[in-house]
Amino acid sequence: MRTLYFLLLTLCLLFSHLGPGAGYLTGLGQRSDHYICVRQGGTCNFSPCPLFTKVYGTCYGGKAKCCMR
């Protein structure tokens, strides 16, 4: 009987480990920085911001600038 419980415990521990893609679930429900920039009236630019606009933040994970008036 103890052997059965030991095997059951071993199987539970074996299948309880999270897979390599489980870390992606932590970002579920969060908006991207591009979405937030555009929603607030900005534009995402890889080049410098146009005249009469200022850098407000970043887009695409810090690769572009969020420019707003």
Side-chain angles (χ1 to χ4, degrees):
M1 193 69 167
R2 289 183 189 175
T3 309
L4 182 63
Y5 286 133
F6 180 72
L7 288 174
L8 184 62
L9 176 66
T10 305
L11 285 175
C12 289
L13 291 175
L14 180 67
F15 290 115
S16 68
H17 289 283
L18 295 176
Y24 295 120
L25 295 177
T26 58
L28 196 63
Q30 295 179 355
R31 300 290 186 171
S32 67
D33 50 358
H34 171 259
Y35 177 84
I36 294 171
C37 176
V38 173
R39 182 81 175 165
Q40 293 178 348
T43 58
C44 292
N45 297 321
F46 288 102
S47 58
C49 291
L51 291 174
F52 308 114
T53 59
K54 294 181 181 179
V55 176
Y56 176 72
T58 60
C59 296
Y60 306 114
K63 296 177 183 173
K65 299 173 189 75
C66 177
C67 302
M68 294 179 75
R69 288 188 178 206

